[in-house]
């Protein structure tokens, strides 16, 4: 399962971030997986087709891990990848990401968006007069004002999953008319293009109860090329159909059907025609199965996806001690894990050494040096901390050093990685109990509320490292956002704040790398490996596959079946 996207980041439950797209072009599928972060990998691999080569109509069957716990992506239970992908068909994204991580104004919703002043920072948005919500109301500056007010974090009654950027807004004003929006920042926010995507109507943001609960079952107001036809939470399916009131280009598909499919059943569901693609999830067995399926092609790109281990540093946790967390990290051999999981699929199994940038990015630096795998150093630190070996495990004050590793059920790679971690940490005297919980409960009842010592999932990121990741590493006890481990420091906060206000790209990257060094020192989380970015896709699908960064949102108008 994955998390992390848009201005927020969407976690993906079950194993599975960030900048750089190498290579170029899109098109035919690969015969074998390539190395992420090398020139052999495409920016996108989507079987790009002109629209006149695609059929009109058809149902695109899209597998998901679980139905959204909330269809409001900005609410703490709603910030998951499946929900973000579904939002892309029915909700506005005022900026869209391209495969190479650049971004573009979405002309369906805005005629322009410009930085009209740097000091103070003022952004002016001009709304497309054709843009209307499904309740018939025209888009307005008031929609921007309502979203900015709710997401600034000042009212804790709104259970928001992130405040990045919005907390820096001083005011949102009407310009020359209702379609002219002027946003003035109290503090500079360099990644302002990350804001208002997804974009919601003012009705959703009218009061805390509506924001937190009204969209728990489905989105009540939409404004995309598709609209909701049916949501069946018992059958775990959602069907979207073309919206006849859509003012943009007509979608090629009639419908898109999202349905929950357990990870182990994906290949069979594809073979039986029940779904039209699936993420290979770094699984060699899934890759071999896809290669042997006559209806499938494996597509791969530099997909912004990495697997990590989050540690719980809350005051009530056994891992509240920073030095203990760092010692545990030093007992994990990420190279061995990467070789075990990815070794048959790609040559590059070097560990990730950065929390903001992925390998292949021009701003990537390996900052993990002092915290790399070293069993002897880990043992020495545990001894120093008073955790003495007592039989197989260490103990202190009569308490064993035993940790709960929470993973979702039905995720073979999570299970495999957990077992490797269990063996590695046992070697330094740390016990691991692997607790597999229902996928539908994994985030809501465990990760989001800190009900774990360790947990594994994937971060799916975007073109905005601060907009995408600040909520993970910034620590505010009153507003945890996506910092599920409750770990942070004033120094990290200050470095992130400096980066967020730095309009110079080079200086901003330097600030983030300085923050990354401090994040390593805190034992915040452990990046394990970067995804291969590989998907099994039906051969007849056009304009869909492994999208690179062009997944926020997917271009649902252009997806279709080849004639």
């Amino acid at each position: 399962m994955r998390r992390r996207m848009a201005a927020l980041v969407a976690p993906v439950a079950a194993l599975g971030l960030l900048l750089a797209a190498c290579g170029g072009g899109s098109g035919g599928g690969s015969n074998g997986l390539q190395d992420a972060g090398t020139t052999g990998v495409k920016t996108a691999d989507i079987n790009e087709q002109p629209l006149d080569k695609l059929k009109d109509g058809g149902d695109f069957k899209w597998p998901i891990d679980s139905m959204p716990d909330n269809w409001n992506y900005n609410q703490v239970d709603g910030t998951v990848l499946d929900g973000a992908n579904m939002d892309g068909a029915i909700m506005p994204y005022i900026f869209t990401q391209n495969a190479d991580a650049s971004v573009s104004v979405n002309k369906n919703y805005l005629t322009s968006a410009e930085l009209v002043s740097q000091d103070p920072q003022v952004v002016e948005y001009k709304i497309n007069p054709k843009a209307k919500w499904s309740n018939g109301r025209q888009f307005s500056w008031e929609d921007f004002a309502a979203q900015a007010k709710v997401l600034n974090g000042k009212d804790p009654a709104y259970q928001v999953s992130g405040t990045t950027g919005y907390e820096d807004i001083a005011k949102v004003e009407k310009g020359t008319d209702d379609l002219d929006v002027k946003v003035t920042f109290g503090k500079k926010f360099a990644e302002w293009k990350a804001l208002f995507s997804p974009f919601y109507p003012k009705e959703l943001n009218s009061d805390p109860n509506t924001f937190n609960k009204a969209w728990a079952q489905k989105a009540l107001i939409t404004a995309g090329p598709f609209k909701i036809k049916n949501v069946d939470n018992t059958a775990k399916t959602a069907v979207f159909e073309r919206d006849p009131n859509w003012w943009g280009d007509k979608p090629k598909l009639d419908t898109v059907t999202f349905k929950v499919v357990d990870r182990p059943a994906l290949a069979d569901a594809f073979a039986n025609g029940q779904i039209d693609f699936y993420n290979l999830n770094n699984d060699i067995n899934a890759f071999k199965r896809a290669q042997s399926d006559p209806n499938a092609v494996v597509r791969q790109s530099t997909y912004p996806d990495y697997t990590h281990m989050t540690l719980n540093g809350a005051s009530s946790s056994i891992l509240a001690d920073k030095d203990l967390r760092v010692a545990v990290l030093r007992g994990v051999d990420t190279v061995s894990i990467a070789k075990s999981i990815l070794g048959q699929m790609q040559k590059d199994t070097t560990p990730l050494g950065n929390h903001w940038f992925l390998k292949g990015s021009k701003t990537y630096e390996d900052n993990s040096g002092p915290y790399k795998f070293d069993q002897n150093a880990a043992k020495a630190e545990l001894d120093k901390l008073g955790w003495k070996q007592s039989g197989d495990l260490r103990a202190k004050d009569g308490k064993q050093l035993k940790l709960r590793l929470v993973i979702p059920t039905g995720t073979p790679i999570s299970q495999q990685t957990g077992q490797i971690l269990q063996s590695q940490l046992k070697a330094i005297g740390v016990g691991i109990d692997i607790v597999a919980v229902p996928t539908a409960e994994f985030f809501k009842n465990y990760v989001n509320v800190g009900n774990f010592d360790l947990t594994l999932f994937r971060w799916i990121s975007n073109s905005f490292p601060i907009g995408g990741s600040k909520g993970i590493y910034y620590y505010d006890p009153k507003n945890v956002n996506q910092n599920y481990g409750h770990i942070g420091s004033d120094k990290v906060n200050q470095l992130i704040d400096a980066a967020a206000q730095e309009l110079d790209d080079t200086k901003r990257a330097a600030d983030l790398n300085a923050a990354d060094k401090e994040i390593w020192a805190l034992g915040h989380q452990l990046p394990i490996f970067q995804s291969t970015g590989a998907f099994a896709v039906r051969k007849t699908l056009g304009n869909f596959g492994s999208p690179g960064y062009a997944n926020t949102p997917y271009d649902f108008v252009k997806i279709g079946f080849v004639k």
Side-chain angles (χ1 to χ4, degrees):
M1 201 171 279
R2 295 144 281 190
R3 281 211 174 200
R4 200 182 216 217
M5 287 186 81
L8 300 173
V9 201
V12 184
L15 235 68
L17 159 127
L18 192 91
L19 288 179
C22 302
S26 57
S30 56
N31 293 319
L33 297 185
Q34 303 148 24
D35 290 347
T38 73
T39 55
V41 182
K42 297 175 180 179
T43 303
D45 187 6
I46 63 168
N47 188 24
E48 190 169 359
Q49 298 288 334
L51 296 185
D52 61 2
K53 298 294 184 183
L54 300 180
K55 298 176 182 176
D56 278 318
D59 177 39
F60 179 26
K61 298 177 285 294
W62 186 307
I64 56 177
D65 287 316
S66 60
M67 296 291 283
D69 290 318
N70 198 311
W71 290 62
N72 175 7
Y73 183 77
N74 293 325
Q75 199 271 345
V76 66
D77 292 329
T79 314
V80 294
L81 181 68
D82 288 327
N85 288 340
M86 296 163 79
D87 256 358
I90 59 175
M91 300 305 301
Y93 279 73
I94 66 171
F95 278 90
T96 59
Q97 291 184 182
N98 305 313
D100 64 357
S102 62
V103 295
S104 302
V105 174
N106 190 336
K107 294 292 188 175
N108 289 309
Y109 302 109
L110 301 178
T111 58
S112 66
E114 297 179 358
L115 181 65
V116 295
S117 171
Q118 289 198 8
D119 194 11
Q121 182 180 355
V122 180
V123 177
E124 184 172 18
Y125 304 89
K126 294 190 176 180
I127 299 170
N128 183 338
K130 296 180 181 179
K132 290 186 178 181
W133 299 103
S134 59
N135 62 3
R137 182 175 63 78
Q138 191 172 40
F139 281 31
S140 162
W141 72 275
E142 293 180 338
D143 295 307
F144 284 81
Q147 184 156 327
K149 182 179 180 180
V150 166
L151 297 184
N152 66 17
K154 292 181 180 178
D155 187 346
Y158 290 92
Q159 298 167 1
V160 304
S161 54
T163 61
T164 303
Y166 296 100
E167 64 199 359
D168 300 323
I169 293 175
K171 56 183 177 180
V172 179
E173 299 174 291
K174 175 182 176 180
T176 55
D177 56 36
D178 286 345
L179 303 182
D180 188 15
V181 190
K182 290 189 176 180
V183 177
T184 302
F185 289 80
K187 288 197 304 184
K188 290 181 180 179
F189 181 60
E191 294 180 354
W192 58 270
K193 292 180 181 179
L195 304 178
F196 304 108
S197 290
F199 184 48
Y200 289 106
K202 64 181 182 181
E203 289 86 349
L204 170 63
N205 296 310
S206 59
D207 62 80
N209 189 64
T210 301
F211 180 89
N212 296 330
K213 298 179 180 180
W215 287 32
Q217 298 301 311
K218 70 175 184 179
L220 300 182
I221 301 173
T222 60
F226 288 82
K227 65 177 183 176
I228 296 174
K229 180 179 181 180
N230 177 58
V231 174
D232 188 332
N233 287 303
T234 301
K236 299 179 180 179
T237 60
V239 181
F240 296 173
E241 62 183 352
R242 288 176 183 159
D243 188 339
N245 295 318
W246 172 245
W247 55 93
D249 293 338
K250 181 181 177 182
K252 300 302 291 186
L253 297 165
D254 285 326
T255 54
V256 181
T257 299
F258 296 90
K259 60 188 302 181
V260 172
V261 180
D262 292 336
R263 292 286 179 88
L266 285 169
D268 285 339
F270 182 91
N272 295 332
Q274 297 171 338
I275 57 176
D276 290 312
F277 83 100
Y278 59 99
N279 192 325
L280 295 180
N281 292 307
N282 309 307
D283 187 334
I284 184 61
N285 294 319
F287 169 61
K288 290 178 178 178
R289 176 76 181 272
Q291 280 188 314
S292 66
D293 191 317
N295 296 312
V297 62
V298 175
R299 303 199 181 280
Q300 183 194 9
S301 71
T302 49
Y303 193 62
D305 175 343
Y306 82 94
T307 291
H308 80 287
M309 179 177 74
T310 281
L311 298 86
N312 189 345
S315 59
S316 59
S317 170
I318 191 173
L319 292 174
D321 183 346
K322 169 184 71 70
D323 293 330
L324 176 57
R325 295 195 300 271
V326 171
V328 169
L329 292 188
R330 300 208 71 184
V332 178
D333 184 356
T334 55
V335 174
S336 293
I337 297 175
K339 285 181 178 178
S340 178
I341 304 296
L342 306 179
Q344 296 182 65
M345 292 183 280
Q346 66 178 36
K347 295 177 183 177
D348 181 12
T349 54
T350 56
L352 281 174
N354 200 297
H355 297 85
W356 300 97
F357 305 112
L358 284 188
K359 290 182 292 181
S361 168
K362 65 180 181 180
T363 47
Y364 174 82
E365 293 179 8
D366 186 343
N367 297 315
S368 66
Y371 314 100
K372 288 186 184 295
F373 171 63
D374 187 330
Q375 271 190 357
N376 291 331
K379 290 177 181 178
E381 184 62 25
L382 290 170
D383 286 336
K384 180 181 175 182
L385 293 171
W387 290 97
K388 302 297 185 181
Q389 197 78 31
S390 177
D392 289 338
L393 303 181
R394 293 175 179 270
K396 180 179 180 180
D397 300 330
K399 184 176 183 179
Q400 282 192 320
L401 185 49
K402 203 167 192 179
L403 308 175
R404 292 169 61 245
L405 173 65
V406 177
I407 63 173
T409 55
T411 54
I413 303 301
S414 291
Q415 184 69 33
Q416 183 182 351
T417 303
Q419 289 169 347
I420 298 171
L421 286 168
Q422 193 175 49
S423 175
Q424 290 181 351
L425 291 177
K426 183 179 179 181
I428 64 169
V430 179
I432 296 291
D433 282 336
I434 299 174
V435 180
V437 303
T439 299
E441 298 178 15
F442 177 64
F443 284 116
K444 186 175 183 179
N445 296 335
Y446 292 88
V447 177
N448 291 4
V449 296
N451 186 8
F452 63 90
D453 295 321
L454 306 171
T455 188
L456 296 168
F457 56 91
R458 287 154 45 198
W459 285 118
I460 306 293
S461 194
N462 53 49
S463 300
F464 306 102
I466 299 171
S469 302
K470 178 181 176 181
I472 304 171
Y473 306 116
Y474 201 95
Y475 184 56
D476 177 357
K478 297 178 181 178
N479 198 343
V480 173
N481 293 324
Q482 290 182 299
N483 190 339
Y484 303 123
H486 294 245
I487 297 169
S489 71
D490 289 341
K491 188 170 184 179
V492 170
N493 289 358
Q494 290 164 8
L495 287 165
I496 294 174
D497 283 339
Q501 296 176 59
E502 179 53 70
L503 300 182
D504 181 275
D505 292 345
T506 301
K507 292 178 181 178
R508 186 165 64 255
D511 286 339
L512 288 176
N513 274 306
D516 187 56
K517 293 173 183 177
E518 296 299 321
I519 291 166
W520 276 108
L522 289 173
H524 191 291
Q525 70 173 40
L526 178 66
I528 299 179
F529 57 79
Q530 191 166 333
S531 173
T532 58
F535 295 75
V537 184
R538 196 163 300 283
K539 286 182 176 179
T540 53
L541 261 178
N543 298 326
F544 187 85
S546 187
Y549 279 82
N551 60 352
T552 311
Y554 284 88
D555 193 342
F556 282 89
V557 169
K558 292 183 179 179
I559 299 170
F561 294 94
V562 178
K563 292 179 179 178

